[in-house]
Amino acid sequence: MERFAQHFINIIRNVVAGPDIRLKDIEVMDEAENQQLLETFNDTSHKTGKGIPKMVLEGFEDQAARTPDRAAVTAPCVGAQGAVPFPADHI
């Protein structure tokens, strides 16, 4: 509830500072929350054992290389009894 109240205060401040402001230009979040959302929470890199970031696709490729006779990715298929395998080279 406190975050909602702070967002509301930010909206009011924007409108008071510039009554002709367009809706799309109103900043709902302050700079700190914007930073947290866009950079901290959005850090999607995964550290491998050696501390090197690894992308999701690289993980699929590694798994496919380790087990070439098995599906690298499976997903449920609507109307099917099981899962449909997707080899890494078809992603």
Side-chain angles (χ1 to χ4, degrees), residues 70-88 90-91:
R70 303 203 45 202
V73 179
T74 60
C77 183
V78 177
Q81 299 248 334
V84 177
F86 296 98
H90 289 95
I91 295 177

Side-chain angles (χ1 to χ4, degrees), residues 3-20:
R3 266 185 47 215
F4 176 76
Q6 187 58 51
H7 291 170
F8 185 70
I9 290 169
N10 291 342
I11 292 169
I12 297 300
R13 283 184 180 148
N14 275 254
V15 172
V16 169
D20 295 330

Side-chain angles (χ1 to χ4, degrees), residues 22-75:
R22 292 178 177 222
L23 205 53
K24 70 180 184 85
D25 296 328
I26 294 175
E27 295 291 334
V28 175
M29 296 183 291
D30 61 22
E31 187 60 36
E33 188 175 8
N34 220 356
Q35 170 94 13
Q36 183 182 41
L37 181 67
L38 296 176
E39 294 184 23
T40 306
F41 291 160
N42 201 31
D43 181 9
T44 56
S45 65
H46 173 72
K47 302 289 183 187
T48 62
K50 297 177 181 158
I52 301 169
K54 179 181 264 192
M55 303 304 286
V56 173
L57 182 57
E58 291 172 326
F60 289 137
E61 291 170 344
D62 291 349
Q63 180 65 28
R66 280 193 304 276
T67 56
D69 57 326
R70 303 203 45 202
V73 179
T74 60

